[in-house]
Amino acid sequence: MMIATAPPRAKLIAYSACLILLALSPLFLSEFRLSLLGKFLAYAIIAMGIDLIWGYTGILSLGHGVYFGLGAYCMAMHLKLVSTPQGLPDFMSWSGVESLPWFWVPFHNPLFAFLMALTLPMIVAFILGYFTFRNRIKGAFFSILSQALVIITVTLFVGQQGYTGGTNGLTNFETFLGLNLRSPSTKLLFFYVTLAVVALVLVLCSFLVSSRLGKILTAIRDGENRVRFIGYNPVVFKVFIYCVSAGLAGLAGVLFVLQEGIISPAQMGIVPSIEMVLWVAIGGRSTIGGAVLGALITNAAKTTFSEAYPAWWPIMMGAMFIVVVLFLPKGIVGTITHYLSNWKKPVLPKAVSSQEAR
């Protein structure tokens, strides 16, 4: 995929070709591999959101696992209630909870669950972003605060076992809108739904970064004080794009739990949050298409290495990250585009001095 500085026509061709190839993947992938690809596409949505705030705005968030987990838990609560005819989920009975908590009741409605999966991460992001950006907290300090948010959230979800399922999380889902979640046809449907959402988010993010808003975000990244001096309030733009990124992570959580069938605090911890940033770094910062490619390649490599070399795959993944940082600092797509742009530059004729002219 091409980066944002590539010609619009070239980007359109590259995006279309990749989406068509992904749409044809059910023809040559097994059901298991297709399920993995659907999960990786959900991750790609998170990567695009992180690229908006990190690649274009300069905000390094190491806590996006929280927003992903909140979105997934909201949908999982609905799925668990639908799969519990007696009205009280099994883990609540084991924990001594006698009646369904009041905040679980509205999640009987699938529309409410979906809306909460989008708005709850955005609300949390707004609270964190507003107070930190208003006080001009940025850089490593903001990254540390985002990790603190992860620790607090994970601890809360693990400790409240009677309401969240504890370390086991929420699982054992059966149906969604009358569809059997374990049916191959349902899994295929969710794959195409996820692919369609990825395409829509790709268009949305490309539009945002190529608009006037995108230029302001890039200016904030390169010189926030200058943006403030010319009359713009960086806090408004940073909070807005941070909330958008959190909402995309929540949307990814919804699509993930529908395909994976489980969500637990471990999937929203510090390690997953850092991995999400690595997807963008490997694919290429400031490249929306690169963020998608990075998420797909990194997770595919992780699966391949873990299957082929169960004892060595963490070392192999670490080596891959080191190679990319040392030799591809602009990421895969950024490096390719850099060399293509230099290769296409016209060679200017050598200037002729006045003496040579004589």
Side-chain angles (χ1 to χ4, degrees):
M1 294 186 182
M2 310 299 288
I3 66 170
T5 55
R9 185 176 180 181
K11 287 200 301 181
L12 180 61
I13 294 174
Y15 291 163
S16 300
C18 292
L19 291 174
I20 291 173
L21 180 63
L22 290 171
L24 296 176
S25 58
L27 300 177
F28 50 85
L29 289 181
S30 65
E31 181 181 338
F32 173 71
R33 298 296 175 187
L34 187 65
S35 176
L36 286 177
L37 181 57
K39 183 173 68 173
F40 299 162
L41 288 173
Y43 289 155
I45 298 174
I46 308 175
M48 286 187 279
I50 293 178
D51 197 21
L52 286 178
I53 61 170
W54 184 36
Y56 289 92
T57 318
I59 303 171
L60 178 56
S61 171
L62 298 179
H64 258 54
V66 170
Y67 307 129
F68 168 77
L70 289 176
Y73 263 94
C74 286
M75 180 53 64
M77 290 168 70
H78 168 73
L79 297 176
K80 191 66 177 178
L81 291 174
V82 172
S83 303
T84 310
Q86 65 271 24
L88 191 66
D90 48 10
F91 66 87
M92 290 187 182
S93 301
W94 302 335
S95 301
V97 179
E98 299 180 354
S99 60
L100 190 67
W102 63 267
F103 57 87
W104 269 75
V105 175
F107 286 92
H108 280 98
N109 189 317
L111 180 59
F112 177 85
F114 178 75
L115 293 177
M116 284 300 297
L118 298 182
T119 56
L120 184 58
M122 296 177 72
I123 292 173
V124 176
F126 176 83
I127 296 173
L128 176 64
Y130 177 75
F131 288 104
T132 54
F133 299 148
R134 189 188 67 170
N135 292 291
R136 302 188 183 183
I137 298 174
K138 56 184 178 180
F141 299 102
F142 178 81
S143 300
I144 294 173
L145 284 176
S146 64
Q147 285 208 324
L149 175 65
V150 174
I151 296 174
I152 294 172
T153 305
V154 171
T155 303
L156 177 64
F157 274 66
V158 171
Q160 299 297 320
Q161 181 172 347
Y163 304 112
T164 64
T167 55
N168 296 324
L170 302 181
T171 186
N172 295 328
F173 312 132
E174 296 180 2
T175 63
F176 175 68
L177 299 179
L179 299 173
N180 185 355
L181 293 176
R182 300 175 185 176
S183 170
S185 59
T186 303
K187 293 181 178 179
L188 181 61
L189 173 62
F190 284 141
F191 168 79
Y192 279 117
V193 169
T194 305
L195 180 59
V197 173
V198 169
L200 291 175
V201 173
L202 184 63
V203 173
L204 172 63
C205 292
S206 299
F207 171 76
L208 288 177
V209 299
S210 61
S211 66
R212 183 179 180 183
L213 172 64
K215 293 180 175 61
I216 296 175
L217 296 177
T218 304
I220 291 174
R221 179 196 65 190
D222 297 337
E224 183 173 339
N225 287 332
R226 294 183 179 182
V227 174
R228 185 177 291 108
F229 290 154
I230 63 177
Y232 290 98
N233 185 1
V235 175
V236 175
F237 295 97
K238 292 171 73 173
V239 171
F240 170 76
I241 203 65
Y242 189 52
C243 290
V244 170
S245 180
L248 292 177
L251 176 61
V254 171
L255 296 171
F256 170 85
V257 79
L258 287 172
Q259 298 179 88
E260 188 70 4
I262 185 174
I263 182 63
S264 68
Q267 294 166 301
M268 55 193 295
I270 291 179
V271 173
S273 297
I274 295 176
E275 287 182 349
M276 294 171 186
V277 175
L278 291 175
W279 302 339
V280 181
I282 290 176
R285 289 176 58 188
S286 304
T287 62
I288 297 299
V292 176
L293 186 64
L296 296 179
I297 289 179
T298 305
N299 286 283
K302 182 178 179 180
T303 300
T304 302
F305 292 157
S306 61
E307 291 177 350
Y309 308 98
W312 293 92
W313 74 267
I315 298 176
M316 299 176 70
M317 288 296 296
M320 186 180 76
F321 295 148
I322 293 174
V323 169
V324 170
V325 171
L326 292 179
F327 299 101
L328 302 174
K330 296 183 179 181
I332 297 174
V333 174
T335 302
I336 293 175
T337 308
H338 174 72
Y339 282 110
L340 287 178
S341 61
N342 289 339
W343 178 65
K344 291 181 179 181
K345 282 183 179 179
V347 179
L348 298 176
K350 182 180 180 180
V352 180
S353 64
S354 57
Q355 294 181 354
E356 292 176 342
R358 294 174 184 174

